[in-house]
Amino acid sequence: MSRRGRYVEAFVRVIAAQLPGPSDARQEILDELRDGLLAASEAHERAGAQPATALQLAIGEFGEPAAIARGFLPELALRRARRIAATLSGSVVLVIAAWLTAARTRDITHSQPLFDSSAAHLAAALLLGLLVFAAGLTFISSGSGSRWLGTTRVPVFGAVALAVLAVLTE
Amino acid sequence: MEGAALKGHLDSILLAALEERPLHGYAVIESLRLRSRGAIDLPTGTIYPALHRLERARLVRSRWSTVSGRKRRTYELTAAGRRALAGKRGEWNEFKSALSSLIEARREEALA
């Protein structure tokens, strides 16, 4: 690896150490920053700077590693929230499938039906419904919905969705 | 002109930078510098989270490619991004016109 490459890697590693969240999302961010730093350095070299100076200018342009990492925190939190919401939605599908399978088995063996109007069953159905609703809100507020929700309503929607998810999964 | 002065306009600026052709993150910075004749010089690190936010909103889309042996992410406007840019341009023109008339009126009052 070239000297410039080693310096860029060191800078990227400092940022990486301050990025929490899913590893694939972090890797994408780091790949993009690495390319940006090298592109910036090359641009300064084309403008006549010596390689070492060009790299210094590029790093200076990017700003403080801590500030760069902070800029990505909302994105990484949203990706984590979407991942949790997707996992929970999958769990709901599995629970419903297991429930239906159990009900069918009981029907076949002519035992007491699994589904009735008892409070426990209604509460379970309500809980599953709320879980799906909260997961849906999470997807909307953290994805394309942010376009029509606007900058004020996105945090409100996101906070409501995450609060419901947190209560339900606790 | 630094980041604080551009607060609230960053999305419009980035969408405008991508209007003509797809660009990677650093090329967006270079384009902004060139088009603003150096007046707009944002810290490069702040551009990437903003581009990602626009992508989540489906206003831009990105593609990965390999250039000189390294991974490069290039952004381009979506149809929704073009519509959003047209809307933001309209809002900006109204705002600019309203502000100009207010400031000019005050200057006339001061002269009277």
Side-chain angles (χ1 to χ4, degrees), chain A residues 15-156:
Chain A
I15 297 171
Q18 299 173 61
L19 287 179
S23 58
D24 54 343
R26 290 173 70 234
Q27 194 54 53
E28 278 185 8
I29 289 169
L30 298 175
D31 285 342
E32 190 173 16
L33 289 176
R34 182 182 296 111
D35 176 56
L37 269 168
L38 290 168
S41 175
E42 287 161 1
H44 287 297
E45 278 190 46
R46 280 197 302 276
Q50 292 297 312
T53 310
L55 183 60
Q56 277 180 350
L57 289 170
I59 287 175
E61 269 180 65
F62 263 69
E64 288 292 318
I68 298 170
R70 262 199 311 278
F72 288 109
L73 294 183
E75 175 185 347
L76 289 167
L78 284 176
R79 287 182 72 153
R80 182 177 274 175
R82 285 172 72 85
R83 196 162 289 194
I84 292 170
T87 307
L88 287 174
S89 301
S91 310
V92 169
V93 171
L94 283 177
V95 167
I96 291 173
W99 207 351
L100 290 172
T101 308
R104 178 163 288 188
T105 309
R106 285 194 171 209
D107 284 344
I108 291 168
T109 56
H110 304 292
S111 54
Q112 193 179 354
L114 185 68
F115 295 112
D116 56 39
S117 59
S118 70
H121 285 170
L122 287 175
L126 184 67
L127 196 66
L128 290 175
L130 270 174
L131 202 56
V132 171
F133 177 69
L137 273 185
T138 303
F139 278 115
I140 290 168
S141 59
S142 62
S144 59
S146 60
R147 192 167 73 218
W148 52 265
L149 283 173
T151 51
T152 311
R153 281 175 287 181
V154 164
V156 176

Side-chain angles (χ1 to χ4, degrees), chain B residues 48-102:
Chain B
Y48 296 98
L51 286 168
H52 294 189
R53 184 164 39 75
L54 290 175
E55 186 171 32
R56 274 202 309 280
R58 309 276 196 272
L59 297 177
V60 304
R61 65 173 153 258
S62 69
R63 282 195 197 128
W64 285 94
S65 57
T66 304
V67 177
S68 308
R70 61 184 195 248
K71 288 183 179 177
R72 171 162 289 174
R73 190 177 196 172
T74 306
Y75 298 88
E76 64 179 325
L77 281 191
T78 60
R82 288 190 188 282
R83 284 195 299 274
L85 178 60
K88 284 177 187 294
R89 272 211 179 105
E91 286 170 19
W92 171 251
N93 286 331
E94 275 179 33
F95 175 73
K96 195 171 63 174
S97 160
L99 208 61
S100 295
S101 58
L102 275 174

